[in-house]
Amino acid sequence: GNGGGRDPHRRALLPRSLRHGARGCRARPTRLPTSPAAVTGRWFADICSGAGGVAKAVRSRGFRSVEWDTLFGSAYDVGLRRNQRTIAADIKASRIFGVMLAPPCSSFSLARTRNSVIRTKENPWGISGLDDRLQKQVEDGNRVMRACIYLFTACQRTGVPAAFEQPSTSYALQTPEILALVELPNVVSLLIDFCAYGTRWRKRTRLILCNVDA
């Protein structure tokens, strides 16, 4: 990694922070997050934050954090280009010291094939011939997933620590774009079980990390 672990900001990206809340939880938050425009100094980006467990863990260590999730409305939708530009600009300007990315896996989940097949290992971005309702699910999932891949790549290129999370069976992990990510310099891929960090459920998960001592 870069710096041999000397940067204290990197502690926020340790997998143990995941135990503060399951990613992908769609429980309605009780408050709106801080706007990036209102944050002074450097900050941590918790993208697709769900219940905000990682952001909370970062704040508990004394750092600023901003949550991005459609639960807060379109102003916090990372799938929108204007929001991607805002985050990417702060990554490149070193205003963001770390990023957690956990794009929703609902449309990429192997489990959802019990109801209907919209993706396969051979076609992880979606199969052809879907009706309008299922096609929209695919496109919505793809939009956010591609945004997170773009932002992870921006972190990798600029030396910013980042973590990208998906369930181990997610079809997203079969996309050429994510397969290419793990081959980049300063990127490592880890397989973890949430139960090893204090949860009562297993949830085998793939973490792809960049610029982090792991």
Side-chain angles (χ1 to χ4, degrees), residues 1-8 10-11 161 186 211-214:
N2 297 332
R6 291 186 292 273
D7 186 349
R10 295 187 181 190
R11 294 178 60 84
N186 298 322
N211 306 313
V212 173
D213 296 312

Side-chain angles (χ1 to χ4, degrees), residues 84 87-89 91-92 148-160 162 181 210-211:
Q84 294 169 35
I87 298 169
I91 289 171
K92 293 172 184 176
C148 288
I149 293 171
Y150 163 70
L151 293 172
F152 183 92
T153 303
C155 290
Q156 185 271 335
R157 289 175 176 171
T158 55
V160 173
L181 286 184
C210 69
N211 306 313

Side-chain angles (χ1 to χ4, degrees), residues 153-175:
T153 303
C155 290
Q156 185 271 335
R157 289 175 176 171
T158 55
V160 173
F164 185 102
E165 179 197 352
Q166 281 289 282
S168 62
T169 57
S170 170
Y171 284 120
L173 299 175
Q174 304 298 327
T175 62

Side-chain angles (χ1 to χ4, degrees), residues 39-105:
V39 176
T40 58
R42 301 176 74 203
W43 56 281
F44 181 94
D46 188 6
I47 296 174
C48 302
S49 57
V54 171
K56 181 180 178 181
V58 171
R59 293 189 195 104
S60 74
R61 290 162 171 79
F63 302 115
R64 301 176 182 90
S65 183
V66 177
E67 298 158 57
W68 294 82
D69 200 292
T70 53
L71 289 169
F72 305 117
S74 61
Y76 296 89
D77 182 359
V78 75
L80 297 180
R81 291 293 181 88
R82 65 174 181 271
N83 290 337
Q84 294 169 35
R85 288 193 293 267
T86 294
I87 298 169
D90 277 5
I91 289 171
K92 293 172 184 176
S94 297
R95 283 200 67 210
I96 292 177
F97 64 78
V99 179
M100 180 73 205
L101 302 126
C105 61

